């Protein structure tokens, strides 16, 4: 058993209701914490669903979980008296975080989630600011077409010419409507109830089109290799933000020259999306830090360094992960892995939860040792 200061804190959670689920999310995202398992008799408890996404062992038997793990901290996210009695005979050296303390930690986690959501929205607004310069030019072009052809229509040209002008005006208007719709979709704050079946390939096309408008693409080739994918049940705005951040980051890295390749496929219960550029690549010493908040290699004023951090946070919220591969001079490839199936909904965090806090959500566990 490694009890050195650098070793992760070993934790088990008893109770996988909404409170236990929120604590699991909180602990699982901390580098210095290892969640050894979570117990609940209810097979549909949200914490068990989250744990399966994260690869955390689950069980319906709290006693069995305590017996087979060498936990340093036992979190009792229930108010079940039988669990309190069980924990009186806790393993030697383990400490217990009781229901009241767990509730306090749940509230702190709720506050952390609210700050995270605010950070995501703030970064989204910064991205919109970057998009606006390119999009204003994109809107001006069809506006000039509409105004010019409207002027011509005043002269009452032949009927066939009128039809041609009207078609051009309609096409230009639809282009503007699409641009405005994309901006509105992206700008919306994600809400818990806004769950939908998200078409990943379609969302990637939308992200590419939006990023294309905001970046100089003098000599950029965009290649897409889309596989047949299941839909993802989630929040459209969040998924769009993930891919828009990755595509924009790739285009900016290439500075108007190179090839952007977007590939999708499904494998082993995951949707895999890879965004690859042919830019200068990421220096070896920067590679471990690219997902850190406020880390950026861009010039001052070119971005706050939150884009990739937000990508990782959103993807983690779906029980997925994002990896990067890069060599200096050989571009970079970011791969997003999102779990598929009926359990692929975003993991409900404290700020989203309409359910009771840990001490009131307890009647989830049976008497110790029962199933």
């Amino acid at each position: 058993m490694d009890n050195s200061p650098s070793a992760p804190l070993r934790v088990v959670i008893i109770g996988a209701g909404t409170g236990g689920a929120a604590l699991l999310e909180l602990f699982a995202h901390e580098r210095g914490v290892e969640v050894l398992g979570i117990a609940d008799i209810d097979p549909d408890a949200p914490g068990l669903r989250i744990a399966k996404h994260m690869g955390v062992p689950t069980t319906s038997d709290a006693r069995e979980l305590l017996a087979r793990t060498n936990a340093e901290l036992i979190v009792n996210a229930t108010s079940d008296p039988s669990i309190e009695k069980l924990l009186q005979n806790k393993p030697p050296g383990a400490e217990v975080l009781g229901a009241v303390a767990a509730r306090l930690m749940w509230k702190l986690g709720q506050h952390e989630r609210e700050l995270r959501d605010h950070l995501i929205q703030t970064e989204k607004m910064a991205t919109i600011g970057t998009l606006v310069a390119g999009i204003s030019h994109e809107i001006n072009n069809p506006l000039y077409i509409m105004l010019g052809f409207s002027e011509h229509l005043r002269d009452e040209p032949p009927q066939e010419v009128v039809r041609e002008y009207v078609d051009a005006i309609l096409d230009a208007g639809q282009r503007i409507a699409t641009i405005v719709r994309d901006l509105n979709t992206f700008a919306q704050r994600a809400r818990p109830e806004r769950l939908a079946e998200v078409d990943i390939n379609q969302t990637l096309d939308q992200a590419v089109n939006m990023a294309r408008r905001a970046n100089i693409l003098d000599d950029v080739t965009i290649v897409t290799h889309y596989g047949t994918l299941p839909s993802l049940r989630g929040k459209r705005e969040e998924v769009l933000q993930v891919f828009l951040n990755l595509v924009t980051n790739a285009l900016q890295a290439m500075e108007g020259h190179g090839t952007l390749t977007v590939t999708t496929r499904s494998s082993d219960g995951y949707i895999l999306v890879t965004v690859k550029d042919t830019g200068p690549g990421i220096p070896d010493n920067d590679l471990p830090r690219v997902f850190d908040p406020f880390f950026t290699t861009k010039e001052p004023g070119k971005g706050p360094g939150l884009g990739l951090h937000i990508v990782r946070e959103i993807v983690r919220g779906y029980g997925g992960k994002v990896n990067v591969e890069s060599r200096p001079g050989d571009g970079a490839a970011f791969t997003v892995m999102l779990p598929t199936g009926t359990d692929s909904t975003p993991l409900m965090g404290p700020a989203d939860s309409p359910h009771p806090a840990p001490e009131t959500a307890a009647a989830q566990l049976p008497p110790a040792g029962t199933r």
Side-chain angles (χ1 to χ4, degrees):
M1 184 184 300
D2 187 357
N3 291 315
S4 64
S6 60
L9 176 66
R10 300 182 299 277
V11 177
V12 297
I13 301 174
I14 310 298
T18 302
L23 293 175
L24 173 61
E25 274 200 276
L26 183 66
F27 292 145
H29 291 166
E30 292 296 327
R31 294 181 180 177
V33 178
E34 179 184 3
V35 182
L36 303 179
I38 183 169
D40 200 302
I41 193 174
D42 180 4
D44 297 321
L48 298 186
R49 175 172 61 84
I50 294 173
K52 290 173 184 176
H53 282 314
M54 293 181 171
V56 174
T58 63
T59 181
S60 60
D61 191 334
R63 188 187 302 276
E64 181 269 337
L65 176 62
L66 296 177
R68 66 176 167 81
T69 57
N70 55 346
E72 299 172 90
L73 179 64
I74 303 167
V75 180
N76 179 15
T78 81
S79 58
D80 188 337
S82 67
I83 296 300
E84 294 180 6
K85 183 177 180 180
L86 169 65
L87 294 179
Q88 291 175 0
N89 299 314
K90 61 181 177 62
E95 297 187 12
V96 176
L97 192 69
V100 175
R103 183 188 179 197
L104 173 61
M105 186 167 290
W106 184 86
K107 288 183 176 292
L108 293 175
Q110 181 180 22
H111 180 63
E112 188 273 340
R113 177 60 181 262
E114 290 170 350
L115 290 176
R116 169 188 172 276
D117 289 346
H118 179 70
L119 186 65
I120 290 174
Q121 189 67 16
T122 299
E123 195 275 337
K124 185 185 292 185
M125 293 300 104
T127 301
I128 287 177
T130 303
L131 293 173
V132 164
I135 288 177
S136 62
H137 174 74
E138 187 77 10
I139 288 178
N140 278 337
N141 284 342
L143 277 178
Y144 289 144
I145 292 173
M146 295 172 72
L147 292 172
F149 285 156
S150 296
E151 289 288 337
H152 286 302
L153 285 175
R154 284 183 174 179
D155 299 330
E156 298 183 3
Q159 185 66 32
E160 62 273 12
V161 178
V162 170
R163 183 179 298 276
E164 179 184 343
Y165 287 171
V166 169
D167 287 344
I169 291 172
L170 287 173
D171 180 66
Q174 288 170 352
R175 285 172 58 191
I176 293 176
T178 299
I179 292 170
V180 173
R181 181 201 64 203
D182 288 347
L183 271 180
N184 284 337
T185 299
F186 182 64
Q188 290 172 355
R189 182 184 294 273
R191 298 177 183 176
E193 65 274 15
R194 288 191 174 179
L195 297 180
E197 298 299 321
V198 181
D199 184 318
I200 296 297
N201 292 338
Q202 187 179 68
T203 304
L204 277 165
D205 279 340
Q206 187 178 1
V208 169
N209 287 334
M210 291 180 69
R212 188 200 303 267
R213 299 179 186 122
N215 292 273
I216 298 174
L217 304 180
D218 294 338
D219 190 25
V220 172
T221 301
I222 298 178
V223 179
T224 58
H225 299 293
Y226 291 166
T228 301
L229 304 177
S231 59
L232 178 80
R233 184 160 180 78
K235 303 172 184 177
R236 296 183 189 278
E237 309 88 27
E238 284 189 343
V239 179
L240 176 60
Q241 186 170 6
V242 166
F243 297 139
L244 180 59
N245 284 6
L246 290 177
V247 171
T248 299
N249 191 68
L251 292 176
Q252 290 177 344
M254 292 188 290
E255 298 183 340
H257 304 278
T259 300
L260 172 72
T261 304
V262 183
T263 305
T264 67
R265 62 189 178 92
S266 61
S267 176
D268 297 328
Y270 281 87
I271 294 171
L272 287 83
V273 179
T274 300
V275 178
K276 187 179 188 307
D277 65 68
T278 56
I282 303 171
D284 292 339
N285 58 322
D286 288 342
L287 204 56
R289 305 166 59 200
V290 294
F291 296 108
D292 290 349
F294 305 110
F295 174 78
T296 180
T297 58
K298 299 175 184 176
E299 298 176 4
K302 295 293 185 180
L306 288 172
L308 293 178
H309 174 69
I310 296 302
V311 166
R312 184 180 64 177
E313 290 302 299
I314 293 176
V315 171
R316 278 181 171 179
Y318 284 81
K321 52 188 175 181
V322 55
N323 300 319
V324 57
E325 296 180 0
S326 179
R327 289 184 299 178
D330 195 28
F334 288 84
T335 298
V336 173
M337 301 177 63
L338 295 167
T340 62
T342 56
D343 288 338
S344 60
T345 53
L347 308 182
M348 182 176 287
D352 293 334
S353 173
H355 301 292
E359 79 283 0
T360 61
Q364 307 247 6
L365 286 173
T370 62
R371 292 182 181 273

